[in-house]
Amino acid sequence: MTSAAAAGAPPGPAAPKSRKSVTGTRRTVAALFLLPALVLLGALVVYPIGYSVVRSFYNASGDGFAGVDNYKALFTDDGIRTALKNNIIWVVFAPAVSTALGLVFAVLTERVRWGTAFKLVVFMPMAISMLAAGIIFRLVYDQDPDKGVANAVWVGVHDTFAQSSAFPRAHPGRDSPLKPDQGGFVTTAPVHTGRPVTLPLVGVAPDQMPDGAKKAVAARPDQARITGTTWQDFTRGKGVGKLGAPDPSELGYAGMRIEAVKDGEVVATTEAAGDGTFTLPAKADGALLRLPASNFREPYNGVDWLGPALVTPAVIGSYVWMWAGFAMVLIAAGLAGVPRELLEAARVDGANEWQVFRKVTVPLLAPVLAVVVVTLMINVLKVFDLVYIIAPGSSQDDANVLALELYRKGFAEGQPGIASAIAVFLLLLVIPVMLFNIRRLRREVRR
């Protein structure tokens, strides 16, 4: 022992820790912080993916090895092939339309005073769940114009140019002088002047009669013209009223169109008055009287939006309604970073607004547009809720997508092996898009 130590002198400074020791400590602390997230990631993501991959090689019961049979079904099963075709339509159109609308909204709202309020309204559907949006659009697309907004608008536009008939279900009754002809009715024998013609029909409910309908009266004979009556030949009550002649309680077919036809050509036309009476000139003598099909046109009920032909575009329309606001907000954020000097320089050089938009604004927004498109492509590959809720059972097969077919195979049809194969296939479709997005983001960071 030295004299200094014997005298109780304090020890010298401790030797500094090595760099490896400090690095190891930091890694340990980082691992401890990441451990809960890694456990959740493994339990909720890695394990399900691994189990799905393994399960996709087994049969429905899970007892026998099926090889690649489940993957062969992806390209041979009619339901899966329809779902795959619809997914391609979704990937091509839904992101493109949503991004295009978002771009237009973002550019236009920069030029109006109430642009912020407009953006709020367009973005608001993002706050609605897919389930609620599906219920909303199931009502919007309802076939009944009194319920469905889409058909209410469509029928209103249609009826502005082509009114429906007031007698859609009218038809000849017993012992009628009329017979069917090209969607309408024609007399069985020629008509002549001086002999009043009766054209009785039945089948129109009392509350559906035209507003101008009056009590039917028998036409008076006229030696110089053809006269007659067309009316609702029906009186409530057994044994009440006379068949083939107007009764006091029966109404005339106001506005019914009557044509006189000779040798296949229409020689005269007229419309019935409120009491059902009508008059034709003498040249109609010897002609057949025809009630054309236009008198019996069924009321227009709009478009069958949720039928087999239009159900997929209709559901895509509801998706665009929800996600166009998302695209608009991201593009508007990118537009805020565009140097205004470039836009002004283009205008000074003589470019009009369309040229500025197409050759300056859009190229500068290309990175943002790529982010929006790729994000929406990944999103539509997983679409399920809207198709499941909006498409009715009668056309759900026609609107089918891979995510919905996965659900049906796994839970409704008892084929978990094929459902797992669909899940793995969806993962393989999403991975290239995700890798492209990651690489693009890394290039943006390097810049």
Side-chain angles (χ1 to χ4, degrees), residues 236-261:
R236 291 184 180 275
K238 187 175 181 180
V240 178
K242 184 179 179 181
L243 193 65
D247 294 313
S249 63
E250 295 171 351
L251 299 176
Y253 280 142
M256 178 73 76
R257 182 178 177 83
I258 299 109
E259 297 176 345
V261 181

Side-chain angles (χ1 to χ4, degrees), residues 10-29:
K17 292 183 180 180
S18 66
R19 182 175 298 177
K20 290 183 178 180
S21 175
V22 174
T23 302
T25 302
R26 288 178 178 175
R27 288 179 177 175
T28 302
V29 173

Side-chain angles (χ1 to χ4, degrees), residues 22-74:
V22 174
T23 302
T25 302
R26 288 178 178 175
R27 288 179 177 175
T28 302
V29 173
L32 290 174
F33 275 104
L34 290 174
L35 185 60
L38 292 174
V39 170
L40 289 174
L41 185 66
L44 300 179
V45 178
V46 177
Y47 173 74
I49 291 175
Y51 181 79
S52 296
V53 172
V54 173
R55 188 65 181 81
S56 66
F57 291 102
Y58 283 82
N59 59 17
S61 63
D63 299 330
F65 185 74
V68 295
D69 290 347
N70 292 328
Y71 289 94
K72 289 181 180 178
L74 299 180

Side-chain angles (χ1 to χ4, degrees), residues 98-119:
S98 299
T99 304
L101 285 177
L103 175 62
V104 171
F105 291 157
V107 172
L108 293 182
T109 51
E110 274 207 330
R111 298 176 172 272
V112 294
R113 184 177 301 174
W114 40 267
T116 302
F118 180 82
K119 289 178 182 178

Side-chain angles (χ1 to χ4, degrees), residues 345-368:
R347 294 188 181 100
V348 170
D349 288 341
N352 56 36
E353 290 303 320
W354 169 245
Q355 292 172 326
V356 172
F357 172 76
R358 184 167 59 90
K359 296 185 177 181
V360 181
T361 304
V362 172
L364 290 175
L365 289 175
V368 178

Side-chain angles (χ1 to χ4, degrees), residues 97-439:
V97 175
S98 299
T99 304
L101 285 177
L103 175 62
V104 171
F105 291 157
V107 172
L108 293 182
T109 51
E110 274 207 330
R111 298 176 172 272
V112 294
R113 184 177 301 174
W114 40 267
T116 302
F118 180 82
K119 289 178 182 178
L120 178 64
V121 172
V122 175
F123 187 74
M124 195 175 295
M126 285 295 299
I128 302 174
S129 69
M130 288 281 197
L131 174 63
I135 294 173
I136 290 171
F137 274 86
R138 182 65 180 270
L139 295 174
V140 167
Y141 292 132
D142 195 286
Q143 181 69 36
D144 186 354
D146 293 332
K147 298 178 182 177
V149 174
N151 268 335
V153 174
W154 194 265
V155 169
V157 173
H158 175 274
D159 288 352
T160 300
F161 301 97
Q163 285 289 338
S164 300
S165 168
F167 323 107
R169 292 181 174 81
H171 60 275
R174 291 181 293 124
D175 302 326
S176 174
L178 296 168
K179 64 180 180 179
D181 177 71
Q182 300 178 5
F185 306 100
V186 66
T187 55
T188 56
V191 297
H192 298 282
T193 57
R195 303 177 189 174
V197 183
T198 56
L199 303 178
L201 295 169
V202 295
V204 180
D207 60 341
Q208 298 298 320
M209 291 294 287
D211 293 337
K214 301 177 182 178
K215 291 183 179 181
V217 297
R220 295 180 179 180
D222 190 328
Q223 299 300 323
R225 293 181 294 180
I226 302 293
T227 59
T229 305
T230 178
W231 78 101
Q232 174 85 347
D233 190 18
F234 177 79
T235 302
R236 291 184 180 275
K238 187 175 181 180
V240 178
K242 184 179 179 181
L243 193 65
D247 294 313
S249 63
E250 295 171 351
L251 299 176
Y253 280 142
M256 178 73 76
R257 182 178 177 83
I258 299 109
E259 297 176 345
V261 181
K262 279 186 178 180
D263 299 325
E265 295 184 2
V266 177
V267 296
T269 61
T270 188
E271 287 188 359
D275 57 7
T277 58
F278 61 88
T279 303
L280 288 164
K283 62 181 177 179
D285 185 68
L288 296 175
L289 296 191
R290 181 171 65 192
L291 305 179
S294 59
N295 289 312
F296 312 103
R297 187 184 298 116
E298 290 284 345
Y300 183 66
N301 288 321
V303 178
D304 188 9
W305 298 104
L306 300 182
L310 294 177
V311 63
T312 295
V315 180
I316 290 176
S318 66
Y319 178 90
V320 170
W321 176 77
M322 290 191 68
W323 287 87
F326 168 81
M328 178 195 66
V329 170
L330 290 188
I331 295 171
L335 193 60
V338 172
R340 302 298 163 182
E341 297 81 6
L342 297 178
L343 304 181
E344 294 301 327
R347 294 188 181 100
V348 170
D349 288 341
N352 56 36
E353 290 303 320
W354 169 245
Q355 292 172 326
V356 172
F357 172 76
R358 184 167 59 90
K359 296 185 177 181
V360 181
T361 304
V362 172
L364 290 175
L365 289 175
V368 178
L369 296 177
V371 171
V372 174
V373 171
V374 171
T375 302
L376 293 181
M377 286 176 65
I378 296 173
N379 188 267
V380 299
L381 283 171
K382 304 179 295 180
V383 69
F384 165 80
D385 319 59
L386 290 176
V387 180
Y388 184 74
I389 298 298
I390 296 177
S394 58
S395 58
Q396 198 170 85
D397 288 341
D398 301 283
N400 200 8
V401 290
L402 287 174
L404 176 58
E405 185 64 14
L406 186 156
Y407 168 81
R408 293 168 68 173
K409 292 292 185 189
F411 299 99
E413 301 178 16
Q415 302 184 59
I418 296 180
S420 299
I422 296 174
V424 174
F425 182 64
L426 273 174
L427 177 64
L428 294 176
L429 291 177
V430 170
I431 285 176
V433 182
M434 293 177 62
L435 292 177
F436 170 79
N437 209 21
I438 292 171
R439 291 180 60 185

